[in-house]
Amino acid sequence: MAALRTDDLPEPRQLAPLTAASLRNETVTIGPLMPEDTGQLFIWLNDVDAARLDLAYRPTDWMSFKAWLDELGRSNAQMVFAIRKLFEPQIIGFVIFKNIQFVHRSADVGVRIGYEVERGKGYGKRALMLALNFAWNHLNLHRVSLTVFAHNARAIAAYRAVGFSEEGLLKDAAFIDGEWVDVVPMATIRPQRD
């Protein structure tokens, strides 16, 4: 993907206040969760079909979800960004950093575009690029890793496009929807500066 030039971006004064204050590129922003985002996030975390793409389905009750949200503000080990289209205020997905290890300068990352109709359009890939820039330039991380189901070719292609590489194959590592599936660990290392 070609490097984005800053003169390709709209002027901050042309954007909604939340968009102007968020990390952004020519298509999406990643920024803080707002109270009105939490209902949609709760639904996406409980989406059976989406779960088949990246984790075993386990319903999350509202009390557990609220406790997780409350902990976000107190925890240095995880961070969630809302993904929004550049000129639209509603959340379309999220990026999450988990297991942030400041001593080892590493973290795990996950990304989900909430609605199937919005998937496959590059929003997740562009949001992940913003998240990686944040990881390198603000968290000072050296390594970011993730796991993906081996059958999720669309996600693997997006991860490769932003710099992730496969680090092996975990055979029958997850039991999803009544079947064993292989899991691919992937990681990317902070790019060397010239």
Side-chain angles (χ1 to χ4, degrees), residues 47-67:
D47 184 337
V48 177
D49 293 328
R52 289 185 182 109
L53 299 174
D54 59 15
L55 53 99
Y57 175 69
R58 178 180 174 190
T60 301
D61 64 80
W62 180 256
M63 296 303 292
S64 299
F65 177 71
K66 183 169 180 339

Side-chain angles (χ1 to χ4, degrees), residues 161-181:
V162 299
F164 283 84
S165 300
E166 290 93 337
E167 295 189 324
L169 179 69
L170 307 173
K171 297 291 287 176
D172 290 348
F175 189 71
I176 305 300
D177 202 22
E179 297 180 4
W180 289 103
V181 298

Side-chain angles (χ1 to χ4, degrees), residues 94-163:
F94 61 91
V95 176
I96 183 168
F97 284 105
K98 300 182 288 187
N99 305 318
I100 300 171
Q101 301 286 328
F102 290 104
V103 171
H104 304 296
R105 295 177 52 206
S106 66
D108 299 328
V109 71
V111 61
R112 181 181 289 178
I113 299 300
Y115 297 113
E116 178 60 38
V117 69
E118 299 290 6
R119 296 180 191 142
K121 296 180 178 180
Y123 299 135
K125 180 172 63 174
R126 288 181 178 95
L128 191 53
M129 289 172 63
L130 289 170
L132 289 174
N133 284 333
F134 177 82
W136 311 144
N137 298 322
H138 298 279
L139 295 178
N140 195 27
L141 296 183
H142 177 71
R143 174 187 165 85
V144 175
S145 58
L146 57 83
T147 57
V148 59
F149 293 154
H151 64 269
N152 194 346
R154 183 167 62 187
I156 291 171
Y159 298 146
R160 284 181 184 147
V162 299

